[in-house]
Amino acid sequence: MTKKKPLILVTNDDGITAPGIRTLIEVMKELGDVVVVAPDSPQSGMGHAITISDTLFCEQVTIKENYKHKEYSCSGTPADCVKIATQEILHRKPDLCVSGINHGSNSSINVIYSGTMSAAVEAGVEGIPAIGFSLLDYSLNADFEPARKYVKAITRNVIKNGLPTGVVLNVNIPKLSGSEIKGMKVCRQANAHWEEEFDKRTNPQGRDYYWLTGTFVNKDKGEDTDEWALQNGYVSVVPVQFDLTAHHFLDDLNNWELND
């Protein structure tokens, strides 16, 4: 008997027409049956937002005439896309969800803000193995070709081996040519953050407005982090858990006099 192809849900946060998701779709078509459900417009930095106070629209679209798989454009967030895909569009739970390829980094603390990773996390919450892919290039003209073989290799391994319950993968790819990328490193998330400030301005009507600016600061000197891997020419692969419990603090917290 012919082995059934895995059903792969593809989504992103840059919008359904973004070059990154087009590359991801092409790679996934080599590995399984693809269904795309992605935002109708850019949703970067949305984190795990969901639509609860507005209507949500989702319609089948044709991005390329020769595509045989189905694609749906959703008015909501990346997390909305996964929810509506699993509840309304797909006839069975997908075997895998891949999100990306994002235009820009989602390493270190950026994973918290990322719509790309939140789509993967939402899939994980629903019991679907999931991977978020990002390329460290914000340009719409970014070259995704060097990323292809790493995306394919990681996805093949997840299809073959699965992922533990409660874990998704955060994959970041450096902005390098194929020959310059040294390989892949399994890493931990670097302890880094944004030092932010607001640029305050006044519009012609006299109303104040703000632009958020900031500097990314990495004080983590470890050579086992995603930031180190990326700075040294490697693809970083970080297993991310969405149980936010600080388990190491439970015993100490139980010793507090909370009921006095």
Side-chain angles (χ1 to χ4, degrees):
M1 292 180 64
T2 303
K3 188 175 181 181
K4 192 174 184 179
K5 287 185 177 180
L7 176 60
I8 303 174
L9 171 63
V10 179
T11 189
N12 74 345
D13 75 351
D14 289 315
I16 195 166
T17 61
I21 196 173
R22 296 293 113 195
T23 299
L24 188 58
I25 291 166
E26 292 298 333
V27 176
M28 291 305 114
K29 285 165 65 178
E30 299 176 26
L31 301 174
D33 294 325
V34 169
V35 176
V36 180
V37 184
D40 60 10
S41 60
Q43 297 284 329
S44 296
M46 289 299 291
H48 212 102
I50 57 173
T51 301
I52 58 173
S53 59
D54 202 356
T55 51
L56 195 61
F57 299 94
C58 191
E59 59 183 5
Q60 189 170 348
V61 295
T62 300
I63 305 299
K64 287 191 176 182
E65 293 294 339
N66 61 339
Y67 276 6
K68 295 181 180 179
H69 64 271
K70 292 182 178 179
E71 300 198 21
Y72 298 83
S73 175
C74 177
S75 65
T77 67
D80 286 330
C81 290
V82 175
K83 286 179 177 292
I84 203 164
T86 56
Q87 298 296 320
E88 295 292 330
I89 295 173
L90 301 176
H91 300 296
R92 65 179 178 89
K93 181 184 288 189
D95 300 292
L96 178 71
C97 174
V98 292
S99 182
I101 301 172
N102 189 62
H103 294 248
S105 172
N106 279 317
S107 59
S108 186
I109 195 64
N110 296 307
V111 69
I112 298 294
Y113 307 107
S114 167
T116 300
M117 282 306 299
S118 289
V121 167
E122 179 61 35
V125 169
E126 298 187 29
I128 305 163
I131 318 164
F133 293 103
S134 303
L135 176 69
L136 275 63
D137 189 342
Y138 290 93
S139 171
L140 282 176
N141 297 317
D143 182 10
F144 290 93
E145 286 304 308
R148 282 178 177 264
K149 77 171 189 176
Y150 300 101
V151 169
K152 190 172 184 178
I154 293 167
T155 303
R156 271 180 169 167
N157 272 276
V158 171
I159 291 171
K160 177 182 177 182
N161 301 311
L163 289 171
T165 300
V167 173
V168 301
L169 296 185
N170 182 18
V171 178
N172 282 270
I173 301 154
K175 182 185 175 182
L176 296 171
S177 67
S179 61
E180 292 174 315
I181 298 177
K182 298 176 182 177
M184 292 188 277
K185 291 279 189 184
V186 174
C187 312
R188 64 177 173 86
Q189 178 182 317
N191 181 13
H193 67 281
W194 286 93
E195 291 186 353
E196 297 166 331
E197 60 182 36
F198 286 95
D199 181 6
K200 183 179 179 180
R201 304 180 187 182
T202 304
N203 70 13
Q205 288 74 40
R207 187 175 182 182
D208 292 338
Y209 66 97
Y210 302 86
W211 284 106
L212 177 64
T213 64
T215 303
F216 185 69
V217 178
N218 178 19
K219 297 181 179 179
D220 194 325
K221 304 303 180 185
E223 296 186 1
D224 59 342
T225 71
D226 50 5
E227 291 297 330
W228 185 94
L230 292 163
Q231 290 168 12
N232 286 274
Y234 293 93
V235 174
S236 67
V237 183
V238 178
V240 175
Q241 63 181 16
F242 45 84
D243 175 1
L244 300 181
T245 306
H247 292 278
H248 63 283
F249 186 57
L250 285 174
D251 289 341
D252 287 340
L253 189 57
N254 274 314
N255 289 326
W256 287 16
E257 296 175 354
L258 296 174
N259 295 312
D260 289 356

